[in-house]
Amino acid sequence: SGAALAYADNAENAFNATEDVRLMRNLLGNSANELSVYTVAGDMATSVNRINDARQIPLGLFAAEGDVTTLTFTGVDTLLDPTLYDAQNDTETPITEGMELTVNGQSHGRYFIRSRGAGEGTTGITDATADGNGDVSVYSVERGRVVVSSGAGLRSVDIYSVGGSLLKREDAAAGQTALTIDDVDSGVAVVRVATAEGTATRKIVVK
């Protein structure tokens, strides 16, 4: 399994079916054991993701429980100063060509690729400076779990039902750029994200 990520000046950060490829799963009816790596475009897990100026891109993995998977990073020079952010340990590691990451089982909402834009020799944004609205990602790939990410520091996340009832509220710690919220009711939800650079509202389907 593989996932491609690239900057382009005519791309969107949100999912766009004309430029991104949605991650396809369960084609053989064995989704529990199907290995799939993905990045997120807006609210969609993708195998091909073209972005405009997002500075923090979620990286996830579907795998069977107990599986040990090694992810290898290639084509790193197409990104400007890329790093791998581990939200669980609050660490950031420079991504180098051929770098490997070992993941036990599934991983959703822990790892994020950070970059300042397109690297040398590529076309596109050369120094990403997204605002607080366009750089927010909100997605759900696990039952009852919502993951929120932003290139700017998060302040708070409010999750509402489509009828306007507040389902969950989480305040972020200072400097926090990723937040995982559990025990959210399945179905359509409206998520309001406040960051250090603005406020964004996203409508998603909670698994």
Side-chain angles (χ1 to χ4, degrees), residues 59-190:
L59 170 68
L61 177 73
F62 288 96
E65 184 178 352
D67 278 1
V68 177
T69 305
T70 299
L71 302 181
T72 303
F73 294 85
T74 60
V76 172
D77 60 352
T78 61
L79 302 179
L80 183 62
D81 300 331
T83 60
L84 182 69
Y85 175 61
D86 181 339
Q88 179 174 302
N89 295 320
D90 193 24
T91 58
E92 191 170 4
T93 305
I95 298 176
T96 56
E97 185 68 22
M99 187 181 97
E100 295 184 343
L101 172 67
T102 300
V103 180
N104 294 311
Q106 300 195 78
S107 178
H108 311 290
R110 176 176 179 177
Y111 295 108
F112 301 83
I113 296 173
R114 289 177 169 176
S115 175
R116 294 196 297 115
E120 294 183 7
T122 61
T123 59
I125 302 298
T126 56
D127 198 354
T129 55
D131 62 29
N133 290 327
D135 203 15
V136 169
S137 173
V138 182
Y139 66 101
S140 175
V141 294
E142 288 184 288
R143 183 170 297 278
R145 172 171 286 187
V146 174
V147 179
V148 180
S149 167
S150 172
L154 294 170
R155 289 183 173 169
S156 64
V157 176
D158 296 306
I159 303 177
Y160 298 90
S161 70
V162 289
S165 299
L166 181 63
L167 302 176
K168 288 276 184 175
R169 176 181 172 83
E170 294 280 350
D171 291 318
Q176 191 172 6
T177 60
L179 194 61
T180 298
I181 303 170
D182 291 316
D183 301 321
V184 181
D185 292 341
S186 297
V188 178
V190 177

